[in-house]
Amino acid sequence: MQFRHYTIYKSNFWLFTFNRIIEVVVYISVWKAIYNQTGDAGGFTINQMVTYYVLVTTIKSFALWGTNEDMAHSIRNGKINKELLNPLTYFEYYFGINLGEMAFAFVIGFATFIICSLIWGITLPINFANFLLAILVIILGIPVTFFIQMIVGTVGFYSSSIWGMQIFRKSIISIFSGVIAPITLFPNWFQNLSKILPFKELIYTPVNIWLGQVQTSEIIFVIIKQILWGIFLYIIAKVFFNHAIKKITINGG
Amino acid sequence: MSKILNNIKLYFSFLQASLKEMLVYRLDFIVGIISQIITQAVEVIFIFIVFQNTENLAGWSFKQVLLLYGITLISVGIKTFCTDGLYEFGPKYIKEGEFDKILLRPVHPLISIFGSTKEFVAMGYLVLGIAITIMMLIELSIPITVVLILKILFFSIIGAIIISAINTIFSIASFWTYRSNEVIWSFDRIYTLAQYPLDIYSAVIKILITFILPFAFVAYYPTMSYLGMNKYMIYISPIVAVILWIIAVKVWNLALNKYRSTGS
């Protein structure tokens, strides 16, 4: 349903794709300039760096888009009452919407990927197994981002600055997931912190699996870690939401 | 001339009214500013990382690039503060028919739209931009004279005028689609390209941001002048601003004449 909502506006599709490309132009141009001057792009070859950013832009939407804005709006304008009476549970309902968003993110990502590969050229994954593993890690990230969305969305019960929360969430994910630059270029304490947090696995790890920079044993560790984070965030989201919804009933009388 | 002055005066009274409306929600205001600063942190982190890998970027040092960044932020802040009401134009005014109300006012509708700006979170941009600029001017040991301050102030405003002209041109998309804010936003964001030395880009992009969408005149050429790299390009900025605004108003009026309200 959400997907159809987007496809009505075909022009949006081109605009979003265009935006993606503009964002990546800066990063790629800067690294190319560095590479031309020093012969080294942060320990990567320039082809790897270009591929890194193209892939990051391609899959970024999966990590950053979502439903918490819709959810917070429905809390504010009272639409939530109707949604709670749905035959689906509230989480299932929003997960459906979220999947619609993801489908749209996939279309945008695909277009961005094709156009960027034509402009800059990229390196292909080292083998097919790595390609599939990268996809698997991306898919495992979807529940993680979804439950984060539900947690941030639930804050809408307490604060009216939905927009601020939204920006806050996006910035945190952008910083920790490697959207800005490969995590290896950050200071050590930051790298250690990002090992524990689930954000790195949303973008940085799948891209590096594609580039063949991750050991097989590490991939297994990453998969287990992501599943555990998914369960953990699910519990938090559920408890927090149930707590908040009780408060609303009391207020409502 | 007096008509233009009158329009500008009315603009400020509209702006004042929306500021009062905004201050009602003080907490949201603060959250907005903080989140704005965090967004900018993302960009600053990138600049930091870049300069851990190189001494200079197309001949620009770390501090010089940060100065360029700070100057850009001041212009963007002024623009956001004064004219981002444009983003409401499609979704709010046209869609909900409020535009008809504005058309009946004895001022140009653009003035009313600009005046309805509620993006006072732009304060975050301004504070950050001014702070970075001052720090970098000191670090680069550029003497902060009254002349320089006035120059920065003047050309930052010119920069804001250039960006808002470009936004105004693209805002005419609102006459055809309600989701115009995404159109404006897409082109607005191109200014981020001009936050880095132009020499790192390919010829196509250089031409794009110098001649077609002249974001390079917002902060890039002015900063080159403050740094003593290029003394003359800065004086083209006001001319660019005037030309862009003539185009913007012409295009806007043309689109306005074709406009039919949603109601009837």
Side-chain angles (χ1 to χ4, degrees):
Chain A
M1 194 189 86
Q2 190 74 5
F3 183 66
R4 226 185 294 154
H5 178 73
Y6 271 113
T7 44
I8 298 170
Y9 305 101
K10 275 224 184 73
S11 56
N12 274 10
F13 164 76
W14 291 110
L15 282 173
F16 277 122
T17 311
F18 175 71
N19 276 329
R20 289 289 116 104
I21 295 168
I22 290 295
E23 275 168 29
V24 84
V25 162
V26 177
Y27 293 137
I28 290 181
S29 302
V30 168
W31 284 111
K32 278 204 165 162
I34 293 174
Y35 188 75
N36 289 340
Q37 281 170 6
T38 63
D40 175 46
F44 293 84
T45 67
I46 190 64
N47 280 337
Q48 281 176 327
M49 207 56 161
V50 169
T51 311
Y52 180 86
Y53 279 107
V54 170
L55 290 178
V56 163
T57 340
T58 304
I59 60 180
K60 196 164 81 171
S61 324
F62 289 103
L64 293 180
W65 285 11
T67 54
N68 71 2
E69 204 161 353
D70 295 323
M71 182 180 163
H73 275 295
S74 87
I75 292 170
R76 288 206 76 192
N77 62 25
K79 224 173 76 190
I80 188 170
N81 288 334
K82 213 174 73 191
E83 287 167 359
L84 281 171
L85 293 173
N86 268 344
L88 296 169
T89 67
Y90 196 72
F91 274 51
E92 281 164 0
Y93 173 73
Y94 267 101
F95 193 66
I97 291 182
N98 198 51
L99 284 184
E101 291 263 346
M102 292 299 125
F104 190 61
F106 175 77
V107 177
I108 300 274
F110 191 70
T112 315
F113 179 74
I114 299 286
I115 296 171
C116 289
S117 331
L118 290 176
I119 300 176
W120 290 289
I122 56 153
T123 39
L124 292 171
I126 53 162
N127 58 45
F128 193 63
N130 270 40
F131 175 70
L132 288 182
L133 280 171
I135 303 273
L136 175 69
V137 174
I138 294 173
I139 292 172
L140 283 176
I142 291 178
V144 172
T145 48
F146 174 66
F147 294 128
I148 293 173
Q149 312 253 354
M150 293 310 277
I151 294 169
V152 176
T154 310
V155 176
F157 281 111
Y158 303 95
S159 150
S160 53
S161 184
I162 303 156
W163 174 83
M165 290 298 299
Q166 184 83 344
I167 292 197
F168 191 71
R169 176 183 67 88
K170 283 188 179 172
S171 304
I172 294 291
I173 296 183
S174 296
I175 293 168
F176 281 96
S177 66
V179 168
I180 309 172
I183 306 270
T184 43
L185 299 179
F186 283 85
N188 274 329
W189 63 265
F190 182 91
Q191 292 189 31
N192 290 333
L193 185 61
S194 71
K195 263 189 202 130
I196 308 163
L197 294 171
F199 305 119
K200 190 175 79 151
E201 269 56 67
L202 300 177
I203 295 172
Y204 177 77
T205 312
V207 170
N208 272 295
I209 293 175
W210 172 297
L211 292 172
Q213 306 255 340
V214 189
Q215 310 291 326
T216 319
S217 58
E218 213 184 320
I219 298 177
I220 297 166
F221 169 74
V222 158
I223 291 173
I224 296 170
K225 176 183 146 186
Q226 249 0 39
I227 294 172
L228 288 178
W229 263 107
I231 298 169
F232 177 62
L233 287 169
Y234 170 74
I235 296 168
I236 293 186
K238 202 78 187 183
V239 169
F240 185 34
F241 182 78
N242 287 343
H243 180 77
I245 203 84
K246 249 178 232 140
K247 182 190 156 216
I248 253 254
T249 340
I250 296 163
N251 283 348
Chain B
M1 195 63 204
S2 74
K3 202 178 142 203
I4 294 176
L5 276 180
N6 199 20
N7 269 333
I8 290 171
K9 217 166 79 189
L10 273 164
Y11 163 72
F12 279 108
S13 53
F14 285 144
L15 199 61
Q16 210 181 358
S18 357
L19 177 61
K20 279 178 189 152
E21 197 179 323
M22 186 74 193
L23 285 176
V24 176
Y25 305 98
R26 207 158 285 169
L27 181 74
D28 290 3
F29 180 70
I30 292 164
V31 173
I33 287 184
I34 292 172
S35 50
Q36 211 70 316
I37 288 177
I38 292 174
T39 328
Q40 292 308 314
V42 173
E43 310 244 354
V44 177
I45 290 171
F46 181 67
I47 299 178
F48 266 103
I49 287 175
V50 162
F51 281 96
Q52 298 212 315
N53 288 284
T54 181
E55 288 286 299
N56 69 78
L57 193 63
W60 288 56
S61 73
F62 175 57
K63 286 165 188 168
Q64 287 170 328
V65 171
L66 267 189
L67 178 69
L68 172 57
Y69 173 77
I71 300 271
T72 313
L73 215 50
I74 296 178
S75 277
V76 172
I78 299 172
K79 183 249 10 170
T80 311
F81 184 77
C82 293
T83 67
D84 262 13
L86 268 182
Y87 279 93
E88 299 269 283
F89 180 39
K92 191 174 153 209
Y93 289 103
I94 300 258
K95 196 177 177 187
E96 291 173 13
E98 257 189 66
F99 188 56
D100 300 356
K101 204 169 78 188
I102 287 177
L103 277 177
L104 294 174
R105 287 184 186 162
V107 280
H108 195 280
L110 268 178
I111 298 289
S112 296
I113 293 168
F114 287 152
S116 72
T117 304
K118 289 195 196 67
E119 298 292 335
F120 296 99
V121 282
M123 286 299 187
Y125 284 153
L126 269 182
V127 170
L128 198 66
I130 292 170
I132 291 176
T133 304
I134 292 173
M135 262 157 55
M136 288 307 123
L137 285 176
I138 294 168
E139 287 277 321
L140 288 162
S141 50
I142 297 170
I144 305 177
T145 57
V146 179
V147 177
L148 185 71
I149 293 172
L150 288 177
K151 212 170 155 187
I152 292 179
L153 192 70
F154 177 73
F155 284 101
S156 295
I157 294 171
I158 293 287
I161 292 173
I162 292 176
I163 309 179
S164 57
I166 293 173
N167 287 355
T168 306
I169 292 173
F170 287 106
S171 77
I172 63 160
S174 313
F175 289 111
W176 294 281
T177 161
Y178 305 136
R179 299 206 137 202
S180 58
N181 41 0
E182 277 145 19
V183 180
I184 307 172
W185 188 74
S186 296
F187 290 96
D188 188 356
R189 281 195 55 84
I190 296 179
Y191 83 79
T192 53
L193 293 184
Q195 278 176 353
Y196 297 92
L198 290 200
D199 285 335
I200 65 168
Y201 296 115
S202 60
V204 180
I205 296 169
K206 265 192 224 167
I207 291 170
L208 173 75
I209 53 181
T210 316
F211 298 108
I212 303 170
L213 300 168
F215 284 109
F217 291 96
V218 173
Y220 179 68
Y221 288 121
T223 308
M224 280 185 112
S225 157
Y226 311 144
L227 291 169
M229 289 177 178
N230 183 327
K231 288 220 160 62
Y232 305 107
M233 286 301 266
I234 185 174
Y235 298 109
I236 300 178
S237 288
I239 303 170
V240 170
V242 171
I243 294 173
L244 273 177
W245 264 105
I246 292 173
I247 298 173
V249 172
K250 280 251 155 73
V251 170
W252 217 86
N253 285 340
L254 211 69
L256 181 63
N257 285 337
K258 293 216 169 123
Y259 166 72
R260 295 279 174 275
S261 165
T262 33
S264 44

